[in-house]
Amino acid sequence: MAAAGGPVLWRRLLGLLPQGRLGLAALLGRLSDRLSLGRDRRSRRSSWLLLAPLLAPTVPQVTAPSFCVCPEGMHRFQWIRNLVPEFGVSSSHIRVLSSPTEFYELMKEQIKAAKQRVVVASLYLGTGLLEQELVDCIEETLERSLQASGPSDFRVSILLDFTRGSRGRNNSRTMLLPLLRRFPEQVRVSLFHTPNLRGLLKCLIPERFNETIGLQHIKVYLFDDNVILSGANLSDSYFTNRQDRYVFLQDSPEIADFFTELVDAIGDVSLQLQSDDTVQMMEGMVHPYQGDKTAYCEVANRRVMEVINAARTRQELHMQTFHGRRSEGDPLLPQQDPSAGGDQKPEPDTWIYPLIQMKPFGIQIDERVTETLLTEAERGARIYLTTGYFNLTQAYMDLVLGTRAQYQILLASPEVNGFFGAKGVAGAIPAAYVYIEHQFYSEVCCLGQQDRVQLLEYSRNGWTFHAKGLWLYLAGSSLPCLTLIGSPNFGYRSVHRDLEAQVAIVTENRDLQQQLHQEQEQLYLKSGIVSSSTFEQPTRYVKLWVKLVTPLIKNFF
């Protein structure tokens, strides 16, 4: 209790202050962050310095405008377009998937139907039969493209993480080499290597453990103008019994172009897999771990921000042109008559915002948007937040504990944690998450917040849990109007170490809101509420050495 007295006192003060705008309460929250950060740094000055985070200098915090109800019936989250492009779409083009099997079958179907491009970004590609079937689908589509009359412009671009994709003798690289050798002009495989793994650190840290320093964690699966956004990787368990989230965007060329350009930008600063299983950088590009780190990060920042800013400019011009013609009564604009035929697209009722987080490159858009959403959620609003790995950053924890919305946080029980039953040190990771969960629960109880902040554990026999994101229900609403879906886990790694991307989907359409609500309900139905008795169960026993080590290594998993 004494050790936690400072931050707890700050949070109690924070809870008494009005939270309508980012004012004094937010300032106190940031002071609490600084106190906690200083305490953590002092506790970690030890032999663990070798594995200390190799982070870029802190980027100054820029507060996004608080949301408000906009004029002309526009939705209240349009402030996000000050940071990223805004894509207006019809909700009829969006489908929420519910199961790994549905995700896998849809991917195979989409690959086979693709005519122009297949773009894949994932942490890794597994080496089993189901993964091989995906590769075979890509190969068949490439063969068919060559049989068409005239030169083929069909392209396949795959972005994976270098360390995870190179693990073991049979790995993601060996799975993709046949495609590279047979279709060298049409297939590109890029392997991102974090600039923070270099020098002595790279020499000393063994395989598997080197993945703790930083990863390419974005998950995007794109086929012509159709996009699947998810937190799932390309491995057999994600196709069978590992629960995640998935949303399918159909006939969305602007969104598909954006993510194609984003994957290309990251690919340009990544190692390129060659047909002999070697890797090399593109000509003239700074090497991620042999070249100057600052120069590399500056180039990477510039490439990614060029994609974001160019898309923002295009979308702003598109919206200005659309609204200008609309105000002039242009007869060529789509009409709202539901009986009208043809290929006219309905006016958008849903808006999609890509949120990028690449702290090694100084890009913190997702962090800024997430913090603002948590800060500005009013009393009576409900936030359902889920993560397969419960290890929230201090800033996110302070916002959950210090703001006024109601929270239901869904996390993995030890038995459905992806590391459950693993060999060696990795087998203790579920216990470390139990310890972190118990600490957070204790703080909730200490602050008397049990009625407002509730923890739930997902449990399902024979399954593991990997779902992440949030659903926001405005005060008085029974359906969510916003969801975040993608790769981030809301933890230190997601914010500081890895490359992440998710989208904010804001919708006024009741049918899509109902889809999102049903998705949330189906996940939470398989959970139990966490109470003090939860941690008295034998499966929640945490060994002393795990308790001692967890504070030192929690920022690495």
Side-chain angles (χ1 to χ4, degrees), residues 272-332:
Q272 305 300 304
L273 183 63
Q274 307 299 305
S275 59
D276 60 355
D277 200 20
T278 60
V279 293
Q280 64 183 41
M281 292 299 291
M282 291 175 58
E283 187 175 351
M285 188 61 65
V286 182
H287 199 282
Y289 62 88
Q290 293 176 353
D292 180 77
K293 179 181 175 182
T294 300
Y296 172 81
C297 291
E298 287 175 352
V299 170
N301 175 287
R302 187 162 58 249
R303 282 290 291 115
V304 173
M305 290 308 300
E306 282 172 357
V307 172
I308 294 171
N309 292 331
R312 276 190 66 204
T313 300
R314 286 196 303 268
Q315 292 306 111
E316 287 171 0
L317 289 173
H318 172 76
M319 293 305 295
Q320 289 171 7
T321 302
F322 177 84
H323 288 299
R325 291 169 61 192
R326 184 179 181 184
S327 64
E328 295 169 7
D330 190 330
L332 297 178

Side-chain angles (χ1 to χ4, degrees), residues 77 80 84-85 87 229 350-355 366 369 373 481-486 502-507:
F77 302 99
I80 304 176
V84 295
F87 299 101
L229 295 168
T350 302
W351 295 266
I352 295 178
Y353 303 92
L355 307 179
D366 180 65
V369 171
L373 289 172
C481 63
L482 178 146
T483 190
L484 300 182
I485 179 170
Q502 65 179 338
V503 294
I505 301 177
V506 179
T507 184

Side-chain angles (χ1 to χ4, degrees), residues 27-46:
L27 176 61
L28 290 178
R30 288 170 185 160
L31 286 173
S32 174
D33 292 348
R34 296 296 183 268
L35 289 174
S36 300
L37 182 60
R39 186 179 68 253
D40 291 346
R41 282 176 175 165
R42 288 192 294 273
S43 69
R44 286 198 293 268
R45 287 175 182 165
S46 66

Side-chain angles (χ1 to χ4, degrees), residues 155-167:
R155 294 291 180 268
V156 174
S157 178
I158 299 173
L159 171 67
L160 305 173
D161 181 74
F162 176 86
T163 53
R164 181 63 183 88
S166 302
R167 186 203 293 180

Side-chain angles (χ1 to χ4, degrees), residues 186-226:
Q186 293 175 278
V187 176
R188 178 190 190 189
V189 178
S190 304
L191 302 169
F192 173 79
H193 190 295
T194 177
N196 291 333
L197 182 62
R198 55 175 48 231
L200 186 61
L201 198 65
K202 184 173 175 63
C203 296
L204 292 178
I205 301 184
E207 191 175 83
R208 293 178 69 96
F209 291 94
N210 58 9
E211 297 165 23
T212 64
I213 303 302
L215 296 168
Q216 192 305 110
H217 201 241
I218 296 169
K219 291 85 186 273
V220 174
Y221 308 110
L222 191 155
F223 322 93
D224 292 344
D225 292 338
N226 302 330

Side-chain angles (χ1 to χ4, degrees), residues 74-372:
M74 305 297 263
H75 68 80
R76 61 170 61 194
F77 302 99
Q78 283 196 318
W79 55 267
I80 304 176
R81 70 180 180 188
N82 295 329
L83 302 172
V84 295
E86 174 187 70
F87 299 101
V89 299
S90 168
S91 57
S92 61
H93 293 178
I94 301 176
R95 176 155 59 100
V96 179
L97 312 181
S98 61
S99 72
T101 303
E102 189 179 6
F103 167 60
Y104 180 62
E105 293 300 327
L106 179 62
M107 276 213 300
K108 290 195 297 180
E109 171 191 311
Q110 288 294 308
I111 291 170
K112 292 176 182 178
K115 299 289 191 297
Q116 299 172 327
R117 59 187 172 188
V118 169
V119 178
V120 168
S122 189
L123 174 61
Y124 70 105
L125 171 69
T127 58
L129 294 177
L130 294 179
E131 298 92 316
Q132 185 59 56
E133 193 173 342
L134 273 184
V135 175
D136 292 344
C137 287
I138 295 175
E139 184 176 14
E140 291 170 12
T141 305
L142 283 162
E143 287 177 345
R144 192 168 60 250
S145 73
L146 292 179
Q147 293 169 2
S149 58
S152 172
D153 60 355
F154 182 77
R155 294 291 180 268
V156 174
S157 178
I158 299 173
L159 171 67
L160 305 173
D161 181 74
F162 176 86
T163 53
R164 181 63 183 88
S166 302
R167 186 203 293 180
R169 180 170 297 178
N170 296 319
N171 52 42
S172 305
R173 293 163 65 164
T174 58
M175 289 288 288
L176 295 170
L177 282 174
L179 292 181
L180 267 178
R181 290 167 179 163
R182 188 170 178 190
F183 307 98
E185 301 301 318
Q186 293 175 278
V187 176
R188 178 190 190 189
V189 178
S190 304
L191 302 169
F192 173 79
H193 190 295
T194 177
N196 291 333
L197 182 62
R198 55 175 48 231
L200 186 61
L201 198 65
K202 184 173 175 63
C203 296
L204 292 178
I205 301 184
E207 191 175 83
R208 293 178 69 96
F209 291 94
N210 58 9
E211 297 165 23
T212 64
I213 303 302
L215 296 168
Q216 192 305 110
H217 201 241
I218 296 169
K219 291 85 186 273
V220 174
Y221 308 110
L222 191 155
F223 322 93
D224 292 344
D225 292 338
N226 302 330
V227 185
I228 300 175
L229 295 168
S230 179
N233 293 303
L234 297 178
S235 182
D236 54 2
S237 63
Y238 293 92
F239 306 149
T240 53
N241 62 347
R242 187 155 171 75
Q243 184 64 58
D244 215 298
R245 297 181 65 208
Y246 334 83
V247 64
F248 183 41
L249 312 177
Q250 299 170 269
D251 190 22
S252 303
E254 294 89 356
I255 299 172
D257 288 345
F258 172 83
F259 279 107
T260 297
E261 292 170 11
L262 179 66
V263 171
D264 284 345
I266 302 169
D268 288 348
V269 298
S270 299
L271 297 159
Q272 305 300 304
L273 183 63
Q274 307 299 305
S275 59
D276 60 355
D277 200 20
T278 60
V279 293
Q280 64 183 41
M281 292 299 291
M282 291 175 58
E283 187 175 351
M285 188 61 65
V286 182
H287 199 282
Y289 62 88
Q290 293 176 353
D292 180 77
K293 179 181 175 182
T294 300
Y296 172 81
C297 291
E298 287 175 352
V299 170
N301 175 287
R302 187 162 58 249
R303 282 290 291 115
V304 173
M305 290 308 300
E306 282 172 357
V307 172
I308 294 171
N309 292 331
R312 276 190 66 204
T313 300
R314 286 196 303 268
Q315 292 306 111
E316 287 171 0
L317 289 173
H318 172 76
M319 293 305 295
Q320 289 171 7
T321 302
F322 177 84
H323 288 299
R325 291 169 61 192
R326 184 179 181 184
S327 64
E328 295 169 7
D330 190 330
L332 297 178
L333 285 175
Q335 302 301 308
Q336 295 306 301
D337 180 2
S339 63
D343 297 327
Q344 294 176 338
K345 293 184 179 180
E347 197 167 330
D349 58 8
T350 302
W351 295 266
I352 295 178
Y353 303 92
L355 307 179
I356 311 303
Q357 183 74 12
M358 300 178 182
K359 184 68 174 289
F361 304 156
I363 299 171
Q364 298 170 260
I365 297 170
D366 180 65
E367 178 186 5
R368 290 164 62 185
V369 171
T370 302
E371 286 188 356
T372 304

